[in-house]
C-alpha cells in the first residue's frame, strides 16, 4: 500500500515528479529534511513506484545501533564469528536483494562502516562477519538524513566519495513552515483518519 503525499504545494508536486522520474532508474537517492517531514514516506513511494515493488523493502536506522551491531545488522554474520553468534544470520543487504534498502539517518554511520558501504555500492558484494566468501546483492540503496551531508563531507566527518556515490539523485523535503498551503490538507487528513479509527474502535466496545 502506497502512503500518499498530502499536499498541493509546488514543492510537494515537485517531489511527486522526482519520484516518478527516479523510481525505475535505480539511481541512489539521498532524501534530506528535518525530522518528521516524511522522508520514509518518500522512500516508500519510490519503492512502490518502481519495478521492485513486489520485492523486499528493508529499513535500517543507522542512529539506533552502535557500530558493531550495525555492521552485523547490515552484513550478517557466520556462526561463531564472535561471542554470542550461535547461529548464522543474514544481513539486511542480503535480505533486500532485488528490493530496496533504506538506510535511515545515514549521517550517523561511522567512517569505518562508510568504507564498507562504499565497497558494496561499487562492487555489489560484501562479506558477512566471520566469512571469507563474498555475497552478491542487488539492493537499491536509498538513504535518508536530517543532517547536511555535504557539510559533513567537507569537514571530513562523512566520506566525500561515498557522499557523491549516494547522492546521485538528491531529494529534499521542505518543512511544513515552508509550505503553509498544505497545513489545512494535513489537518483534514489526520482528522479523517482519527474519525475512522474511532468508528472502528466503537465496534468493539462492550
Amino acid at each position: 500500500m502506497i502512503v500518499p503525499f498530502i499536499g498541493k504545494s509546488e514543492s510537494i508536486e515537485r517531489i511527486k515528479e522526482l519520484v516518478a522520474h527516479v523510481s525505475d532508474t535505480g539511481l541512489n537517492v539521498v532524501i534530506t529534511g528535518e525530522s518528521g517531514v516524511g522522508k520514509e514516506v518518500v522512500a516508500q513511494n519510490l519503492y512502490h513506484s518502481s519495478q521492485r515493488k513486489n520485492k523486499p523493502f528493508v529499513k535500517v536506522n543507522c542512529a539506533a545501533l552502535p557500530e558493531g551491531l550495525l555492521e552485523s545488522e547490515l552484513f550478517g554474520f557466520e556462526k561463531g564469528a564472535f561471542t554470542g553468534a550461535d547461529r548464522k544470520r543474514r544481513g539486511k543487504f542480503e535480505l533486500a536483494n532485488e528490493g530496496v534498502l533504506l538506510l535511515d539517518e545515514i549521517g550517523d554511520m561511522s567512517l569505518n562502516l562508510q568504507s564498507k558501504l562504499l565497497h558494496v555500492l561499487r562492487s555489489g558484494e560484501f562479506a558477512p562477519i566471520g566469512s571469507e566468501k563474498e555475497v552478491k546483492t542487488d539492493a537499491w540503496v536509498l538513504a535518508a538524513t536530517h543532517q547536511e551531508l555535504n557539510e559533513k563531507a567537507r569537514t571530513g566527518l562523512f566520506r566525500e566519495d561515498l557522499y557523491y556515490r549516494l547522492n546521485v539523485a538528491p531529494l529534499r523535503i521542505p518543512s511544513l513552515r515552508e509550505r503553509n498551503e498544505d497545513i489545512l490538507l494535513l489537518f483534514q487528513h489526520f482528522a479523517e483518519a482519527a474519525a475512522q479509527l474511532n468508528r472502528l474502535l466503537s465496534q468493539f466496545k462492550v
Side-chain angles (χ1 to χ4, degrees):
M1 178 180 177
I2 300 179
V3 180
F5 289 112
I6 307 299
K8 62 179 181 181
S9 62
E10 182 178 343
S11 57
I12 290 297
E13 293 302 319
R14 177 58 178 159
I15 289 171
K16 292 177 183 178
E17 292 176 4
L18 286 171
V19 167
H21 287 310
V22 173
S23 58
D24 277 327
T25 64
L27 296 175
N28 294 326
V29 178
V30 173
I31 307 166
T32 58
E34 297 177 7
S35 298
V37 295
K39 295 186 288 292
E40 187 172 348
V41 171
V42 171
Q44 290 175 347
N45 274 266
L46 284 165
Y47 164 68
H48 284 291
S49 300
S50 74
Q51 296 178 359
R52 297 173 182 251
K53 62 185 176 182
N54 295 319
K55 300 297 183 179
F57 178 89
V58 180
K59 175 186 173 184
V60 178
N61 188 329
C62 300
L65 298 170
E67 181 178 348
L69 288 178
L70 180 57
E71 181 177 4
S72 63
E73 189 77 2
L74 289 173
F75 306 121
F77 52 82
E78 295 292 327
K79 181 178 179 180
F82 50 82
T83 303
D86 56 357
R87 60 182 176 84
K88 178 179 179 178
R89 182 176 178 182
R90 298 165 68 199
K92 300 300 187 185
F93 264 107
E94 187 173 356
L95 294 173
N97 186 41
E98 298 184 348
V100 170
L101 176 61
L102 171 61
L103 299 176
D104 196 16
E105 296 303 344
I106 195 169
D108 288 290
M109 182 180 286
S110 70
L111 288 170
N112 177 50
L113 279 184
Q114 289 175 33
S115 298
K116 296 180 179 181
L117 173 59
L118 181 61
H119 171 74
V120 180
L121 294 177
R122 284 174 170 169
S123 66
E125 297 181 337
F126 65 94
I129 299 172
S131 174
E132 296 180 355
K133 183 178 180 181
E134 295 265 301
V135 177
K136 290 187 178 294
T137 183
D138 178 29
W140 180 21
V141 176
L142 308 178
T145 182
H146 70 280
Q147 302 182 44
E148 296 292 340
L149 288 189
N150 57 341
E151 180 63 20
K152 293 195 72 169
R154 188 185 67 81
T155 57
L157 296 176
F158 197 89
R159 288 188 61 116
E160 191 172 18
D161 47 3
L162 176 60
Y163 171 69
Y164 288 114
R165 174 75 62 164
L166 286 170
N167 200 41
V168 178
L171 205 162
R172 177 183 175 272
I173 308 173
S175 63
L176 194 55
R177 64 178 176 275
E178 298 175 69
R179 46 188 180 97
N180 292 333
E181 60 267 51
D182 292 336
I183 293 177
L184 180 58
L185 290 174
L186 283 164
F187 174 80
Q188 292 173 337
H189 171 77
F190 289 117
E192 291 170 3
Q196 184 177 3
L197 178 60
N198 285 333
R199 288 193 296 269
L200 180 63
L201 291 175
S202 65
Q203 299 175 14
F204 297 95
K205 290 182 179 179
V206 179

